[in-house]
Amino acid sequence: MGATSSSVNELPENEYLKKLSGRERISENDPFWNQLLSFSFNTPTNSAELKLLEEAAVSVCKSLVENNPRTGNLTALIKVFLSRTKELKISAECQNHLFIWQTHNALFIICCLLKVLICQMSEEELQVHFTYEEKTPGSYGSECEDLMEELLCCLIQLIVEIPLLDITYSISLEAVTTFVVFLSCQLFHKEILRESIIHKYLMRGRCLPYTSRLVKTLLYNFIRQERSPPPGTHVFQPESDGGGLLYGIASGVATGLWTVFTLGGVGSKRAPQQEESSPLANQSLLLLLVLANLTDAPDTPNPYRQAIMSFKNTQDSTALPSPNPHTFQINFNSLYTTLCEQQNSDQATLLLYILLHQNSNVRTYMLARTDMENLVLPILEILYHVEERNSHHVYMALIILLILTEDDGFNRSIHEVILKNITWYSERVLTEISLGSLLILVVIRTIQYNMTRTRDKYLHTNCLAALANMSAQFRSLHQYAAQRIISLFSLLSKKHNKVLEQATQSLRSSLSSDGSPLPDYAQDLNVIEEVIRMMLEIINSCLTNSLHHNPNLVYALLYKRDLFEQFRTHPSFQDVMQNIDLVISFFSSRIEQAGAELSVERVLEIIKQGAVALPKDRLRKFPELKFKYVEEEQPEEFFIPYVWSLVYNSAVALYWSPQDIQLFTMDSG
């Protein structure tokens, strides 16, 4: 590095890096820093090059770790950076490209070194590298300024105060990335960090007053989806034909130095071009999720989570003052629009979950929207393509649906939204269907996929809970949706009979067994019967509350009436079967009276007439089916590894060696 173009192969022998990591102390006022920071560097473009960068920097980093406690050169570099950031805002206003570029380079080097240090040592050891102070006679007992806290605070100020322009995009991105790296110590611990030096700085002291502004800025970075500036928009133009060294250096930076941390793997098979379209938005969202999931301090709740839980709509003039000191206002319409557009990424779905679950202002606003299909359709598409998604992404999408279906207004309105030509639904051509019927189809498909592949009881439970919440509000079900409800019950019935037969055979064989352990079919039978009862309750809820609105369901029920025969006298289902049996008997009688060889249209007409004639008091009333999502007692045990797996698999991914990661296994995401 220095005032020449650098390549990966040259790094171990680069004279400026060797001096930085060497045994000689460099004063923060030394002209060396201007030379070190005037570099251009060809950005790695693939995983192989990223690995080469790691390997090439090993000797430099090893030397720095060994010598820095004595030289304090990292401390000096950080102080050089801190002094420059004080003039960044005015430099942006004055279009001072050179100053911004060199300041960015300083932060880039700090970020690279910081990543290595955090990977190799504890926070206490890291702090030693931040607390160097040249000792003079008589000053041995003086306290060192806390440079780590000052750097953290400076990063926050840079993120929230520097205007986002083409010339500041790269340093804004680098500040967010460095912040993420600062918090990455969690990656190298199997246990969830509950007491951390970095956390302490963020929860108290100088960083705390910036909480709401930081959360707001990160949200707006996500909302704006600002694309990276095209090459040439933030570089120096040559003043003469030669242009000189300065132009060559600046052009090198323009080729993409700022993108060095935006390459790598992506979560949930996201398209690479989309990942790169707005690296600042992506990094800001990841940082926001990391901050939101920091554990509470023993005496202080996480202020970043508090800010996310309490912010309000800028359009809400009636908003009352909040007791939360970290609340702020943001444009909900812009936030909603971006969330709808970005649901193909794990992190955007996770943000949507957090907001719906924890921020009542956001939840109320979203449920009042008249265009909920813009939000629900991307969620349904995640579930529909379950084979291509990781399990965490599917769970988040499903829980979002469960939270939405807790609201009766939502359950009514989705049947009023008519959709045309759902191209991604390939099992059947759906030229026209209500959003509610499509939701039912996708959830049932997810259940059937789970029954044949993953067999996850948690997934089953949440799918059935969402259907149960909607069941009393089913309206004008599409004939295909009605068929799939009964088809699912048919599948469950066959599975029940199979398990029952296996249990019977197992019992017989146990009489002449040689003492070897037998499969626990009783438990399997209990699980399948719980699911069957839930399905019967869903059908019963629809018939009891909206029979006259759903002739297609009654038709499907009559068409497959034999399925329900075996459950009429079953002690686990007798009560809930009463209404279903009554409906089947009542409508079967009316159809038989109408004669043989009736058309489908004629049968539906008889069903509609019968629905009006059937006295409602003949149907037994059951308690309304209502299921509410309840977060686990220790949600951080799930969410913190999940968030860091997203970080690892996204922007800064390949800068961490897989063998160093302790928080999760490489296939856990």
Side-chain angles (χ1 to χ4, degrees):
M1 301 206 174
T4 57
S5 180
S6 304
S7 70
V8 169
N9 295 332
E10 297 169 357
L11 288 182
E13 300 304 319
N14 184 282
E15 60 177 297
Y16 297 100
L17 291 179
K18 289 174 74 174
K19 185 173 181 179
L20 173 67
S21 60
R23 298 179 179 179
E24 177 189 347
R25 179 182 179 274
I26 308 169
S27 166
E28 59 195 83
N29 299 316
D30 196 300
F32 162 82
W33 299 111
N34 281 333
Q35 297 169 324
L36 173 71
L37 302 179
S38 298
F39 67 84
S40 81
F41 189 78
N42 291 326
T43 305
T45 57
N46 55 53
S47 58
E49 291 179 4
L50 289 167
K51 187 177 180 182
L52 285 175
L53 176 63
E54 279 279 319
E55 293 171 348
V58 166
S59 61
V60 173
C61 294
K62 183 178 179 181
S63 179
L64 182 82
V65 170
E66 181 181 339
N67 296 319
N68 186 66
R70 292 188 296 274
T71 65
N73 286 343
L74 176 60
T75 300
L77 173 60
I78 291 170
K79 288 183 176 179
V80 168
F81 168 72
L82 292 174
S83 66
R84 285 173 172 268
T85 57
K86 295 172 184 176
E87 301 177 41
L88 262 184
K89 195 170 183 179
I90 192 168
S91 296
E93 293 170 356
C94 299
Q95 298 283 301
N96 190 336
H97 298 252
L98 175 60
F99 188 87
I100 295 172
W101 164 59
Q102 287 190 328
T103 308
H104 164 269
N105 286 355
L107 184 55
F108 171 70
I109 296 174
I110 291 169
C111 187
C112 291
L113 296 175
L114 185 63
K115 195 281 303 180
V116 174
L117 293 174
I118 288 175
C119 181
Q120 294 183 2
M121 60 188 64
S122 67
E123 281 190 315
E124 291 74 16
E125 293 171 316
L126 177 65
Q127 211 167 22
V128 172
H129 288 269
F130 276 81
T131 53
Y132 173 86
E133 183 179 41
E134 187 177 16
K135 299 295 187 296
T136 56
S139 67
Y140 183 79
S142 64
E143 294 185 3
C144 300
E145 61 178 331
D146 199 330
L147 199 60
M148 189 183 292
E149 182 177 19
E150 188 175 354
L151 178 56
L152 270 171
C153 195
C154 178
L155 291 174
I156 294 174
Q157 290 171 337
L158 199 159
I159 293 168
V160 303
E161 292 181 354
I162 302 302
L164 187 58
L165 309 169
D166 280 354
I167 61 171
T168 61
Y169 191 100
S170 59
I171 195 167
S172 296
L173 175 61
E174 203 66 57
V176 174
T177 299
T178 306
F179 207 137
V180 173
V181 171
F182 239 127
L183 292 162
S184 67
C185 50
Q186 176 65 80
L187 276 172
F188 311 105
H189 292 79
K190 287 184 178 180
E191 301 79 22
I192 302 301
L193 291 179
R194 300 184 185 279
E195 292 188 14
S196 159
I197 295 170
I198 306 295
H199 294 186
K200 182 185 72 175
Y201 291 143
L202 293 175
M203 302 274 190
R204 304 182 181 88
R206 297 168 58 185
C207 296
L208 187 61
Y210 291 96
T211 297
S212 59
R213 291 179 65 191
L214 177 60
V215 171
K216 184 176 183 178
T217 301
L218 294 174
L219 271 174
Y220 266 127
N221 285 348
F222 169 67
I223 289 170
R224 292 171 67 179
Q225 293 290 314
E226 198 75 44
R227 291 178 177 271
S228 55
T233 58
H234 59 296
V235 302
F236 303 98
Q237 298 301 321
E239 295 183 3
S240 62
D241 291 341
L245 174 65
L246 189 62
Y247 178 65
I249 296 169
S251 297
V253 176
T255 61
L257 175 61
W258 57 267
T259 66
V260 75
F261 275 119
T262 69
L263 306 171
V266 295
S268 217
K269 301 187 178 180
R270 190 177 185 183
Q273 64 270 25
Q274 185 159 11
E275 178 74 18
E276 296 171 7
S277 64
S278 184
L280 180 61
N282 183 57
Q283 286 289 72
S284 296
L285 178 53
L286 289 171
L287 176 55
L288 183 65
L289 293 173
V290 170
L291 291 171
N293 286 282
L294 294 178
T295 56
D296 294 335
D299 57 344
T300 310
N302 179 346
Y304 303 95
R305 188 184 303 122
Q306 284 191 312
I308 290 172
M309 291 171 61
S310 61
F311 70 82
K312 301 176 181 179
N313 191 1
T314 52
Q315 306 300 313
D316 186 3
S317 57
T318 62
L320 298 174
S322 172
N324 187 334
H326 305 299
T327 192
F328 59 90
Q329 288 186 303
I330 203 166
N331 188 306
F332 277 16
N333 182 61
S334 301
L335 176 62
Y336 178 82
T337 301
T338 304
L339 283 169
C340 292
E341 294 170 349
Q342 299 297 319
Q343 284 308 303
N344 56 341
S345 78
D346 287 70
Q347 45 265 44
T349 304
L350 180 54
L351 176 63
L352 175 59
Y353 158 77
I354 290 172
L355 295 178
L356 280 173
H357 178 52
Q358 299 183 357
N359 191 314
S360 59
N361 301 318
V362 172
R363 184 169 61 252
T364 300
Y365 173 84
M366 288 188 176
L367 288 170
R369 294 281 303 204
T370 57
D371 59 348
M372 276 298 288
E373 67 273 17
N374 291 337
L375 186 66
V376 175
L377 282 173
I379 298 299
L380 295 183
E381 201 166 349
I382 293 169
L383 293 175
Y384 185 79
H385 296 294
V386 60
E387 304 93 337
E388 302 171 17
R389 303 289 178 175
N390 67 66
S391 59
H392 292 349
H393 199 183
V394 172
Y395 281 142
M396 288 298 100
L398 189 54
I399 292 169
I400 286 168
L401 285 186
L402 180 56
I403 292 171
L404 292 173
T405 60
E406 291 171 12
D407 183 76
D408 286 339
F410 172 83
N411 294 332
R412 283 191 297 271
S413 65
I414 55 175
H415 292 287
E416 298 168 0
V417 178
I418 304 302
L419 308 169
K420 295 182 184 296
N421 300 318
I422 308 301
T423 54
W424 48 262
Y425 194 95
S426 59
E427 274 85 348
R428 176 165 172 162
V429 176
L430 300 175
T431 55
E432 187 171 291
I433 189 171
S434 71
L435 179 60
S437 289
L438 181 63
L439 196 159
I440 292 167
L441 285 175
V442 172
V443 171
I444 287 176
R445 185 180 184 274
T446 306
I447 294 173
Q448 291 178 322
Y449 174 84
N450 187 51
M451 286 176 65
T452 57
R453 306 285 183 87
T454 56
R455 299 182 181 180
D456 186 328
K457 184 180 178 182
Y458 179 81
L459 195 68
H460 259 22
T461 302
N462 284 283
C463 285
L464 291 168
L467 288 176
N469 285 346
M470 294 188 293
S471 60
Q473 308 289 340
F474 283 173
R475 295 289 187 276
S476 304
L477 289 183
H478 191 281
Q479 61 179 16
Y480 186 52
Q483 290 170 16
R484 298 310 298 165
I485 291 173
I486 305 303
S487 294
L488 174 59
F489 186 81
S490 174
L491 186 64
L492 291 168
S493 177
K494 290 176 183 176
K495 190 171 182 65
H496 177 267
N497 292 340
K498 182 179 179 182
V499 173
L500 189 61
E501 182 181 346
Q502 289 172 333
T504 304
Q505 290 176 353
S506 176
L507 185 62
R508 287 172 184 163
S509 63
S510 67
L511 298 176
S512 57
S513 173
D514 57 1
S516 58
L518 297 169
D520 187 4
Y521 289 114
Q523 184 178 356
D524 291 345
L525 196 61
N526 183 56
V527 171
I528 195 70
E529 286 185 355
E530 284 181 7
V531 177
I532 286 176
R533 179 170 179 88
M534 189 81 160
M535 278 302 299
L536 288 172
E537 287 179 343
I538 289 168
I539 295 169
N540 179 69
S541 174
C542 176
L543 297 178
T544 306
N545 293 282
S546 53
L547 174 68
H548 58 292
H549 289 298
N550 292 291
N552 284 327
L553 181 62
V554 176
Y555 184 96
L557 201 63
L558 295 173
Y559 191 75
K560 294 285 188 178
R561 73 188 79 176
D562 294 343
L563 281 175
F564 299 88
E565 194 66 34
Q566 62 176 308
F567 300 106
R568 291 176 63 188
T569 56
H570 195 294
S572 298
F573 312 120
Q574 271 185 316
D575 58 337
V576 75
M577 273 298 301
Q578 288 180 15
N579 286 342
I580 296 173
D581 193 35
L582 174 66
V583 167
I584 290 174
S585 300
F586 177 81
F587 285 97
S588 295
S589 173
R590 293 181 72 93
I591 290 171
E592 287 172 6
Q593 292 173 13
E597 298 183 6
L598 301 174
S599 65
V600 173
E601 291 76 15
R602 176 60 182 147
V603 172
L604 284 171
E605 184 182 339
I606 294 170
I607 290 172
K608 291 175 184 178
Q609 293 170 350
V612 176
L614 177 64
K616 292 184 179 180
D617 57 2
R618 289 185 61 186
L619 295 175
R620 178 184 169 186
K621 288 291 183 183
F622 286 83
E624 186 179 5
L625 293 179
K626 271 299 171 188
F627 294 88
K628 190 175 180 64
Y629 169 68
V630 179
E631 204 168 63
E632 298 291 332
E633 287 186 7
Q634 291 185 306
E636 65 272 13
E637 298 291 340
F638 169 83
F639 285 104
I640 290 177
Y642 179 33
V643 169
W644 278 107
S645 72
L646 296 180
V647 174
Y648 179 85
N649 287 314
S650 189
V652 286
L654 297 177
Y655 273 86
W656 287 304
S657 300
Q659 60 266 29
D660 294 329
I661 305 300
Q662 299 293 317
L663 182 62
F664 52 83
T665 57
M666 290 303 102
D667 60 351
S668 66

